Amino acid sequence: MDIIKFKLNKLTQNTTIIMGNMVAIVGRPNVGKSTLFNRLTQSRQAIVKETSGVTRDRHYGRSHWNGVDFSLIDTGGFVQGSDDIFEGEIRKQVHIAIEEASVVVFLVDVETGVTDLDEAVADVLRRSKKPVLVASNKVDNHERALNSFEFYNFGLGEVFSISAINGSGTGEFLDALVDSFEDTTFVDPNEGLPRIAIVGKPNVGKSSLTNALVGKERNIVTDISGTTRDSIDTRYNFFGFDMVLVDTAGIRKKGKVHEDIEFYSVMRSIRTIENSDVCLFMLDAEDGIQTQDMNIFSVIEKNRKGMVVLVNKWDKVEGKETNSMKEFEEKIKERLAPFTDVPILFVSALTKQRIHKALEVAMEVYENRTQKISTSELNEVMLNIIERYPPPAYKGKYIRIKYVTQLPNHAPAFAFFCNLPQYIRDAYKRFLENKMREHFDFTGVPIRLFFRKK
């Protein structure tokens, strides 16, 4: 794939994305929206806990029923008239999800019956003019099924009695859901796209960066550490870029993770790194690179992901001088050694300084990570270097490297075939890696060298 088409080009128009059938699950807090989301997606993507306000941002997944694929949006609990900063932001996210959806599932709780908040949600849905399916949750017996009839008072059509936790009634509900689609053709807009994960400590500016790039409040942003809990996918298809940005929860030290919710958030962030192609590794310019930053870096490197270091909040650093940026960069590389072939950018999510440059560099790293080098080219370059600088003899035995080839791995890996692979020392391995980086562009990408018996 040509890197040129990923370059920043303001003349490039945003192309249409076919989202297929999008289903939003909405309702007041603690009615079981995330439980239903997990059941329909057959996953544990959404964090579930019997506490109001666990889900905050919109969370996307994919489901399948009777040969029909569709997308799901899990939303936070809808609350009205609250002064709580999170509940106000969650309300905005619910409204956005309703706008995006082709069908809305209105989830209510049969145990508590109709509440004022349910009425408020029903009013929003009536005004939205979107097709709505009302699902009465927690219906585990016949008596509760009879209690579901009161939800017909919303005037939103048929009410389906289900139990998200054990799956009771979901078959009939899904039949009706699939029948409500105007078109059963599903196109996954994110299939095969580069996945760019935005990772870092809590409150370093990850969600702010996502919002600055997409130009709207895609994710909830506050000054409170731990605002983001789930890993959140965003399709970015502007200015010649086409990728999936994944905002993640901040990764704390183990000793500072006290709640189950926070534990699962951290685990999902680590899983996001494992499933990504390139990580935008964010540092706080005011804090510098700290021990927890190094822990996150080790997770990225261990999983052999491409990496771009973003020093955020650079605009807030006082007393900057001509060499401040260079000195800061040298300190970072000193901590990251020996993996120093990493692009470092100084950005500001608040002022949008260099944020699009960050995406441009991320795509270059993605190309570096996915490049395939022919065996003939590898041998032409590397065998000449090995001939001039052969591996040192060990106990009077000479090591002869015959040829080298790239292995069919997801991340760059190379096999050097030789007569005595066990005698190759680490210093010579680093020498060969440095020479490979000189001749082939692996900036931002960890590479592995294997030495095998020939």
Side-chain angles (χ1 to χ4, degrees):
M1 194 181 298
D2 192 350
I3 187 61
I4 295 175
K5 71 179 182 180
F6 290 108
K7 296 290 186 184
L8 189 61
N9 180 4
K10 297 206 180 233
L11 297 176
T12 304
Q13 298 296 318
N14 183 27
T15 57
T16 302
I17 303 172
I18 303 171
M19 293 301 291
N21 294 298
M22 188 74 72
V23 179
I25 305 173
V26 303
R28 61 179 175 81
N30 214 29
V31 294
K33 296 181 296 298
S34 294
T35 303
L36 180 62
F37 177 89
N38 285 347
R39 174 160 293 280
L40 297 185
T41 58
Q42 297 182 353
S43 70
R44 293 183 180 179
Q45 292 183 51
I47 298 174
V48 176
K49 191 174 177 67
E50 291 183 8
T51 304
S52 173
V54 171
T55 303
R56 291 173 176 168
D57 295 283
R58 307 192 307 285
H59 191 55
Y60 292 79
R62 182 171 173 178
S63 187
H64 178 92
W65 185 255
N66 282 351
V68 178
D69 292 314
F70 56 94
S71 295
L72 281 169
I73 315 175
D74 182 24
T75 64
F78 186 93
V79 176
Q80 208 164 35
S82 170
D83 295 329
D84 185 278
I85 183 172
F86 289 121
E87 291 175 345
E89 293 297 324
I90 289 169
R91 193 162 56 248
K92 293 179 186 177
Q93 297 291 319
V94 173
H95 281 288
I96 295 170
I98 292 171
E99 290 176 11
E100 289 181 345
S102 49
V103 179
V104 180
V105 172
F106 177 22
L107 198 65
V108 289
D109 186 343
V110 73
E111 287 185 314
T112 54
V114 177
T115 68
D116 291 342
L117 276 177
D118 291 322
E119 293 283 8
V121 177
D123 185 55
V124 170
L125 294 176
R126 281 191 291 268
R127 286 186 275 113
S128 74
K129 306 297 183 184
K130 293 289 178 75
V132 178
L133 272 69
V134 181
S136 174
N137 192 26
K138 306 179 185 178
V139 180
D140 300 319
N141 54 51
H142 182 67
E143 183 182 347
R144 288 185 175 183
L146 295 176
N147 293 338
S148 296
F149 282 99
E150 68 173 311
F151 298 118
Y152 279 95
N153 292 328
F154 295 136
L156 292 170
E158 187 175 357
V159 177
F160 296 88
S161 297
I162 68 168
S163 174
I165 199 163
N166 64 29
S168 174
T170 53
E172 184 181 352
F173 161 71
L174 284 168
D175 286 340
L177 178 63
V178 170
D179 288 342
S180 68
F181 296 152
E182 293 182 2
D183 183 7
T184 57
T185 303
F186 180 86
V187 177
D188 186 350
N190 299 338
E191 189 72 33
L193 291 178
R195 292 183 63 82
I196 312 297
I198 304 173
V199 301
K201 295 183 304 185
N203 215 30
V204 76
K206 299 180 294 296
S207 296
S208 297
L209 177 62
T210 304
N211 290 347
L213 287 167
V214 300
K216 61 182 179 182
E217 293 183 15
R218 171 63 182 81
N219 302 329
I220 295 175
V221 175
T222 72
D223 291 330
I224 301 170
S225 176
T227 296
T228 302
R229 286 175 168 168
D230 286 297
S231 296
I232 304 155
D233 290 7
T234 300
R235 172 74 177 271
Y236 188 86
N237 191 30
F238 299 95
F239 306 114
F241 298 107
D242 197 2
M243 65 186 74
V244 178
L245 294 175
V246 190
D247 185 17
T248 64
I251 302 176
R252 292 178 181 269
K253 294 180 181 178
K254 286 183 180 179
K256 293 189 176 182
V257 178
H258 304 297
E259 300 178 20
D260 289 345
I261 294 170
E262 194 170 7
F263 169 77
Y264 289 121
S265 296
V266 170
M267 292 306 296
R268 278 161 172 75
S269 296
I270 293 172
R271 191 179 304 158
T272 296
I273 292 174
E274 293 171 351
N275 294 330
S276 68
D277 296 304
V278 177
C279 293
L280 295 178
F281 177 31
M282 296 190 73
L283 305 176
D284 190 320
E286 296 177 298
D287 296 340
I289 185 164
Q290 300 180 333
T291 302
Q292 182 57 10
D293 296 311
M294 291 303 300
N295 292 336
I296 297 169
F297 164 73
S298 67
V299 174
I300 299 171
E301 187 181 28
K302 179 182 176 182
N303 286 279
R304 306 293 170 182
K305 303 302 178 181
M307 184 172 67
V308 180
V309 176
L310 301 184
V311 183
N312 192 30
K313 306 180 184 179
W314 187 246
D315 54 310
K316 292 186 178 181
V317 176
E318 296 179 358
K320 291 195 290 285
E321 298 179 357
T322 306
N323 294 327
S324 294
M325 194 176 289
K326 186 176 180 181
E327 290 173 0
F328 202 107
E329 184 175 329
E330 287 174 354
K331 288 179 182 178
I332 293 173
K333 289 189 174 183
E334 185 178 318
R335 293 295 302 276
L336 300 184
F339 182 33
T340 57
D341 189 14
V342 181
I344 300 173
L345 298 177
F346 294 80
V347 304
S348 170
L350 183 65
T351 65
K352 300 186 178 182
Q353 181 183 24
R354 300 187 191 92
I355 61 173
H356 291 97
K357 178 67 175 178
L359 294 187
E360 184 178 342
V361 174
M363 288 313 307
E364 290 173 355
V365 171
Y366 173 77
E367 289 296 312
N368 294 345
R369 186 172 183 268
T370 55
Q371 68 175 311
K372 302 299 179 186
I373 305 171
S374 68
T375 301
S376 59
E377 186 178 2
L378 273 173
N379 283 280
E380 183 179 349
V381 172
M382 297 308 298
L383 291 185
N384 283 334
I385 293 171
I386 293 167
E387 187 178 350
R388 292 199 302 273
Y389 307 99
Y394 183 77
K395 293 183 178 180
K397 296 180 179 179
Y398 291 95
I399 303 166
R400 294 180 178 85
I401 297 175
K402 305 294 184 180
Y403 71 97
V404 57
T405 186
Q406 184 170 1
L407 299 174
N409 295 10
H410 292 296
F414 302 88
F416 289 76
F417 291 88
C418 55
N419 59 334
L420 299 169
Q422 68 273 26
Y423 295 149
I424 302 285
R425 293 291 173 259
D426 288 341
Y428 193 74
K429 292 177 183 178
R430 287 194 295 271
F431 165 77
L432 291 180
E433 179 179 337
N434 291 335
K435 289 299 180 181
M436 289 196 72
R437 290 185 180 279
E438 284 180 19
H439 289 84
F440 307 103
D441 193 354
F442 287 110
T443 300
V445 183
I447 64 176
R448 288 183 293 174
L449 306 186
F450 297 94
F451 294 83
R452 296 178 176 175
K453 179 78 173 177
K454 173 61 177 175

